[in-house]
Amino acid sequence: MADKATFRIWRGGNGTGHFVDYATAISPGMVVLDAVHGIQAADANDMAVRWNCKAGKCGSCSAEINGKPRLMCMTRLNTLDLSVPVTVEPMKTFPHVRDLVTDVSWNYRVKTKIQKFKPRKPDAPDGTWRVQQADVDRPQEFRKCIECFLCQDVCHVLRDHNLHEEFIGPRFLIYTAQLEMNPLDTGDRLKDLKDRDGIGYCNITKCCTKVCPEEIKITDNAIIPLKERVVDEFFDPLGGLFKIIR
Amino acid sequence: MAEYPIHEYDVLVVGAGGAGLRAAIEAANAGCKTGVITKSLLGKAHTVMAEGGMAAAMGNVDDRDNWRVHFADTMRGGQYLNHCRMAELHAKEAPARVYELEAWGAIFDRTPDGRILQRNFGGHRYPRLAHVGDRTGLEMIRTLQDHAIHQGIDVYAEHTIVILLMDGNRCVGAFGYDRERGRFKIFHAKAVVLATGGVGRAFQVTSNSWEYTADGQALAYNAGAALLDMEFVQFHPTGMVWPPSVKGILVTEGVRGEGGVLRNKDGKRFMFDDIPDNYKSSTADNPEEGWRYTQGDKSARRPPELLTRDHVARCITREVKAGRGSPHGGVFLDIAWIKEKIPNSIEHIKKKLPSMYHQFKQLADLDITKEPMEVGPTTHYIMGGIQVDGDTQMSSVDGLFAAGECAAGLHGANRLGGNSLSDLLVFGKRAGEYAAKFAKERWAGKLDQAQVDDAAKIALAPFERGAAGENPFAVQSELQNAMQGLVGIVRLENEMQQAIEKVSALRARAANAGITGHREYNTGWHTAIDLDNMLSISEIIALAAIERKESRGGHFRDDYPDKSAEWAKYNLRVTKGGDGRPKVERVPVVPLTDEMKLVIEENK
């Protein structure tokens, strides 16, 4: 590995800005976030960047590295071509704040609209619940989500078509899925998924699954089963007939 | 005189990790108008990184467990400097707090009969930690977050508090800024709960993030509150040591709970060589028995790898110093060896320790199902903090409460793994409950514009110095080196004196910190502001550590390597003296009741 590498980092605020090249020393095992921190400490004290855990657990340091949505803390330099500058940009799907920081507050607003967890009454003698591990494996997969919002960033419905008002995006489809698939939950979010959350907009290109740092099978395990439930509930002619007769 | 927007609350909670969110939920449910300040985005606080689990004596896996055993384990682990009333409340109330999380949507791993599964952890006699693989903290913070957003709580994400606002000895609110725009705001509140976490950023090798800059401890100290037990910093025995850029990142104790063993470069399980007397009767004396313990054999005793964190960290340090360490200055932590015992060990490890597998694979190119990890101690937690009333969590300042890591008491000289997440819930709830009660009984106090104006002036000074001033990142880095080297895992009086001189010199440089650019999301500016808290508390840690002339729990002195019966009687309290300097004094340990003595005796 070379001793120095160049990072081409987006600088500026509120949508205006430009790339600035910074050369910085590199060492074995480094990740992009280390390089950004090194540059910040030495050459650009005021550079805006979010981070917390530096171990892929908190989902704060999302960015686009060489054009790909990734966590800076989990992108090792030895996986990148350092003979050319490494570009680091803010996520494009959210309003820009400054440098590598974007305004992700839309995500937090979306979540508040989704019906909250509504458990059935405790049914075990000790006033708690009995739940088998096999019945929670699937919702546990979705609960691995660290809310990095990379799936929202890459989703073309949001990124290219700006349908933020009509589509909740992959993050909140898996959020809904873990609620719907929690064996204790008694809520019903299918009508919301169809009418308000825009599940029909997803045309299962699986881009979200590809960028998920937690390797959650967002499309196959969450979105497609939810789509099937919505179809069963609202678009199945035989089932509909059955419901009328009943 | 500048005008700043004023936000009015009954209860203001500073911090949105486990303790802060739990406090806010409680206060809001008591009918209080509640605001929460969080330095990062919601759901990113340090709780998210907790791995192993939360300790609660539910007895789901071993029905011999109950609050009495948990209480005795916590006191033994804390070397009896704990606030015994807090240890009692914690042991009694933790199970209800865990079940409550389940009722709010948390999905814990299950026992074969469908109850919440519990795992072994250091210092806990029975399997006690409710968990979700090795990402329990994520489950906990997400559950609290997703519950809190439906309770009518106002969340101020990416805001930092600069000072607490005082009306005499009454805390009446806080003053801070939002990171995005850099604008100041006044929060006027009848009661304030601090839940800001720890101090790990003052050390070089740490599992803590940028947020952990001793804010709550410093805010409270500057407001006149007493701090307690500040000499007790926990160095977690197992942090990553290689590659350099990940040094300090936590490797969960759960690895050892699942059967992982520590070896030196000669392949020797050195933990068997040094088992403290008060743990001899409960610790396995051969590898076979230790293995059986990790696999749930109730007749087996725990392996020495699961002794308390302070002890394991020191044993590792000793091996490394004696030249028996691993190539990169740690020791080996091996979970892959269980393939000798379990046929499907690879899948088993991935299922039990998914994020450890992930972390080593991605950050160190190492497959923990096949090879041993290299690990060494990392600054993880501070047992000391704001002195609080055991029942109400109120500090010595009227209307100022504290919960979680920033508060002191529960853990004494050393915290058991798993007791932190339960601490957050038990005392977060209590702080919220009593802050709400306080807010309902009292009128709002008076705001004093002069306090606000002074704080704003100090906070903005780095901009006036501009590029000519000191680089705040450089000052922070030097502080981290000094604390790591001089007030770290093994301490000496003269080194700690040097640290105090160094901190004093750095304080002068920090007062001259300069910043370029403007106020919008300027991380250099944020660092410059955080420096003051870190420097104040670093000095207090060193002063308390010099004062305690013995070794106990997380505090190990090479010049006083033994425990002293005399020092067992005291906690050290630090307050701001009349001269503005820290005043360190001995205060008697909270006495045990007769029943507590009995409980401790029956669990010896």
Side-chain angles (χ1 to χ4, degrees):
Chain A
M1 199 183 271
D3 300 324
K4 282 205 156 207
T6 300
F7 290 81
R8 184 163 285 173
I9 300 176
W10 189 259
R11 300 297 313 267
N14 298 315
T16 63
H18 55 280
F19 281 110
V20 178
D21 282 4
Y22 298 94
T24 190
I26 57 171
S27 61
M30 262 175 82
V31 293
V32 171
L33 185 62
D34 293 320
V36 169
H37 278 160
I39 291 161
Q40 183 189 50
D43 305 320
N45 280 185
D46 66 339
M47 186 159 68
V49 53
R50 278 196 186 106
W51 72 283
N52 282 72
C53 76
K54 209 175 166 303
K57 296 183 201 312
C58 77
S60 299
C61 64
S62 306
E64 299 186 5
I65 300 166
N66 287 342
K68 291 203 179 104
R70 304 184 70 165
L71 295 179
M72 287 187 272
C73 74
M74 295 303 277
T75 305
R76 292 187 60 178
L77 298 188
N78 65 2
T79 63
L80 302 170
D81 179 2
L82 299 182
S83 66
V84 291
V86 175
T87 63
V88 188
E89 300 164 82
M91 291 190 285
K92 293 213 179 69
T93 296
F94 308 112
H96 190 220
V97 174
R98 190 178 174 200
D99 303 334
L100 297 176
V101 171
T102 56
D103 175 2
V104 293
S105 59
W106 170 78
N107 292 287
Y108 290 88
R109 290 194 297 277
V110 168
K111 193 191 255 183
T112 60
K113 291 186 206 147
I114 296 169
Q115 274 180 54
K116 64 178 180 184
F117 176 64
K118 208 170 106 191
R120 67 172 195 245
K121 285 221 156 50
D123 41 17
D126 58 358
T128 63
W129 293 273
R130 295 290 177 273
V131 180
Q132 291 306 307
Q133 182 63 45
D135 295 330
V136 293
D137 279 341
R138 185 61 74 221
Q140 279 188 334
E141 178 192 356
F142 306 145
R143 292 183 67 84
K144 287 195 310 190
C145 171
I146 55 174
E147 298 199 329
C148 63
F149 306 126
L150 290 173
C151 59
Q152 308 287 71
D153 184 44
V154 80
C155 177
H156 63 99
V157 181
L158 301 170
R159 188 184 180 97
D160 301 328
H161 301 287
N162 283 309
L163 292 174
H164 294 67
E165 295 307 310
E166 293 160 61
F167 182 57
I168 60 176
R171 161 57 191 142
F172 296 104
L173 291 173
I174 63 162
Y175 177 74
T176 306
Q178 61 84 19
L179 287 166
E180 286 290 300
M181 296 181 197
N182 185 329
L184 299 187
D185 181 70
T186 59
D188 180 355
R189 300 162 188 85
L190 295 183
K191 190 167 187 314
D192 288 344
L193 280 172
K194 174 174 78 80
D195 296 340
R196 188 195 63 195
D197 301 341
I199 191 168
Y201 281 112
C202 168
N203 57 354
I204 54 174
T205 51
K206 302 195 184 186
C207 309
C208 51
T209 304
K210 277 185 207 122
V211 300
C212 178
E214 286 292 309
E215 297 175 6
I216 300 169
K217 300 275 182 292
I218 301 173
T219 319
D220 289 353
N221 291 350
I223 300 181
I224 291 175
L226 284 183
K227 277 175 172 277
E228 286 170 352
R229 290 183 186 198
V230 169
V231 168
D232 281 352
E233 181 73 19
F234 299 107
F235 301 106
D236 174 7
L238 271 179
L241 192 62
F242 180 71
K243 275 179 202 154
I244 292 166
I245 296 167
R246 192 178 52 172
Chain B
M1 192 170 76
E3 290 282 328
Y4 304 110
I6 301 179
H7 302 271
E8 301 276 352
Y9 288 100
D10 295 321
V11 176
L12 179 74
V13 180
V14 185
L21 286 174
R22 188 63 192 81
I25 289 169
E26 198 65 18
N29 288 350
C32 285
K33 187 173 183 231
T34 305
V36 175
I37 311 272
T38 159
K39 218 168 157 181
S40 287
L41 294 171
L42 191 59
K44 310 296 183 194
H46 227 277
T47 303
V48 81
M49 295 163 65
E51 293 164 354
M54 61 191 92
M58 300 184 286
N60 287 354
V61 171
D62 192 323
D63 58 14
R64 291 173 296 179
D65 202 13
N66 57 54
W67 79 264
R68 300 166 80 89
V69 191
H70 191 182
F71 168 79
D73 285 351
T74 301
M75 294 297 295
R76 188 190 302 117
Q79 308 262 6
Y80 304 101
L81 287 189
N82 321 55
H83 188 311
C84 53
R85 172 66 178 159
M86 287 175 75
E88 177 192 2
L89 289 170
H90 170 254
K92 283 182 173 167
E93 295 177 4
R97 298 285 80 77
V98 172
Y99 286 123
E100 181 177 75
L101 278 191
E102 184 164 59
W104 293 347
I107 306 179
F108 293 101
D109 288 353
R110 316 305 296 186
T111 62
D113 68 345
R115 293 186 290 177
I116 293 173
L117 182 61
Q118 299 183 268
R119 70 156 43 120
N120 288 312
F121 235 57
H124 294 280
R125 174 159 295 188
Y126 302 119
R128 190 176 283 149
L129 270 65
H131 62 278
V132 186
D134 53 5
R135 55 162 192 85
T136 315
L138 171 65
E139 188 69 14
M140 178 164 146
I141 198 167
R142 197 68 78 234
T143 302
L144 291 169
Q145 171 192 345
D146 293 350
H147 187 72
I149 59 175
H150 296 289
Q151 310 302 315
I153 298 164
D154 293 339
V155 177
Y156 295 85
E158 301 197 305
H159 280 60
T160 301
I161 296 301
V162 182
I163 55 161
L164 295 176
L165 300 173
M166 301 297 291
D167 179 0
N169 183 43
R170 162 104 188 265
C171 180
V172 294
F175 178 65
Y177 62 91
D178 73 295
R179 304 174 80 76
E180 185 172 328
R181 297 278 165 247
R183 290 181 191 143
F184 291 116
K185 292 176 184 174
I186 294 169
F187 298 92
H188 187 205
K190 291 177 188 160
V192 174
V193 178
L194 293 175
T196 54
V199 306
R201 288 307 282 179
F203 292 80
Q204 186 190 31
V205 179
T206 177
S207 62
N208 294 172
S209 81
W210 69 272
E211 292 190 295
Y212 262 32
T213 51
D215 296 1
Q217 292 87 344
L219 290 170
Y221 169 78
N222 288 327
L227 305 180
L228 200 74
D229 294 339
M230 293 300 287
E231 67 275 32
F232 294 112
V233 175
Q234 180 167 78
F235 299 90
H236 192 291
T238 58
M240 294 176 79
V241 297
W242 183 260
S245 74
V246 300
K247 191 162 181 173
I249 292 179
L250 193 66
V251 180
T252 177
E253 193 165 322
V255 175
R256 286 168 282 146
E258 298 295 340
V261 299
L262 291 166
R263 293 186 211 276
N264 63 20
K265 78 173 166 53
D266 308 319
K268 180 162 196 237
R269 279 181 69 180
F270 55 88
M271 289 305 300
F272 278 106
D273 297 349
D274 185 359
I275 299 168
D277 288 339
N278 59 339
Y279 281 97
K280 276 222 163 87
S281 66
S282 57
T283 306
D285 54 15
N286 66 84
E288 188 53 36
E289 183 181 2
W291 165 251
R292 284 192 285 115
Y293 175 89
T294 63
Q295 300 311 298
D297 181 341
K298 290 182 184 176
S299 68
R301 294 170 298 174
R302 84 188 76 158
E305 277 85 357
L306 289 177
L307 286 164
T308 52
R309 288 176 172 175
D310 53 338
H311 181 74
V312 180
R314 273 195 301 280
C315 289
I316 292 175
T317 306
R318 184 194 59 212
E319 289 303 303
V320 174
K321 278 196 173 163
R324 296 189 293 267
S326 64
H328 302 105
V331 295
F332 294 107
L333 171 62
D334 189 2
I335 183 76
W337 81 278
I338 68 170
K339 64 176 177 280
E340 298 165 20
K341 300 279 186 185
I342 296 183
N344 59 342
S345 69
I346 292 179
E347 288 316 307
H348 180 81
I349 293 166
K350 284 187 193 169
K351 168 74 190 165
K352 292 286 184 183
L353 303 163
S355 73
M356 283 307 103
Y357 174 76
H358 204 64
Q359 183 173 310
F360 274 90
K361 194 90 184 132
Q362 292 210 345
L363 294 176
D365 280 333
L366 188 142
D367 183 344
I368 67 167
T369 69
K370 301 201 172 85
E371 304 162 82
M373 300 158 248
E374 275 189 73
V375 296
T378 179
T379 314
H380 186 53
Y381 188 87
I382 183 159
M383 276 64 77
I386 302 158
Q387 185 180 25
V388 290
D389 176 82
D391 286 76
T392 66
Q393 299 288 292
M394 190 156 93
S395 70
S396 55
V397 165
D398 211 24
L400 180 64
F401 299 75
E405 186 172 351
C406 74
L410 172 60
H411 309 294
N414 173 57
R415 174 174 72 79
L416 298 185
N419 268 0
S420 178
L421 291 188
S422 42
D423 172 12
L424 307 184
L425 294 173
V426 168
F427 294 106
K429 176 188 183 287
R430 281 186 165 267
E433 181 183 338
Y434 286 96
K437 188 162 176 284
F438 184 95
K440 285 178 180 174
E441 289 168 356
R442 302 285 284 266
W443 297 100
K446 275 203 310 285
L447 292 175
D448 171 11
Q449 184 71 33
Q451 293 174 23
V452 168
D453 290 339
D454 282 352
K457 194 167 162 228
I458 294 168
L460 291 175
F463 285 108
E464 285 159 28
R465 292 185 285 267
E470 284 277 351
N471 178 337
F473 291 97
V475 176
Q476 183 182 34
S477 169
E478 285 192 38
L479 173 67
Q480 290 166 340
N481 281 329
M483 289 301 283
Q484 187 76 32
L486 305 172
V487 197
I489 191 162
V490 176
R491 296 167 170 174
L492 275 171
E493 178 123 5
N494 64 347
E495 289 188 353
M496 291 190 283
Q497 291 292 1
Q498 285 173 39
I500 286 172
E501 285 161 27
K502 181 82 189 169
V503 167
S504 168
L506 288 173
R507 192 187 284 282
R509 286 174 56 191
N512 191 36
I515 279 301
T516 55
H518 51 73
R519 281 161 67 173
E520 293 186 8
Y521 221 112
N522 187 330
T523 40
W525 181 40
H526 306 152
T527 303
I529 291 176
D530 290 345
L531 276 178
D532 191 51
N533 294 340
M534 267 189 285
L535 288 161
S536 299
I537 298 303
S538 293
E539 182 183 22
I540 287 169
I541 292 171
L543 286 170
I546 288 172
E547 186 67 19
R548 182 172 287 277
K549 293 182 174 41
E550 65 156 353
S551 291
R552 182 181 295 273
H555 172 68
F556 185 82
R557 299 250 331 225
D558 229 3
D559 42 1
Y560 299 93
D562 299 315
K563 252 191 284 195
S564 114
E566 179 60 16
W567 274 104
K569 298 176 192 163
Y570 305 107
N571 298 100
L572 286 175
R573 181 171 67 186
V574 185
T575 47
K576 197 175 212 173
D579 57 354
R581 298 279 308 141
K583 192 171 93 191
V584 185
E585 57 198 332
R586 299 178 185 196
V587 292
V589 171
V590 179
L592 296 165
T593 62
D594 290 341
E595 194 204 359
M596 289 173 180
K597 285 181 190 158
L598 192 70
V599 172
I600 288 171
E601 199 49 43
E602 75 191 19
N603 285 292
K604 271 252 156 84

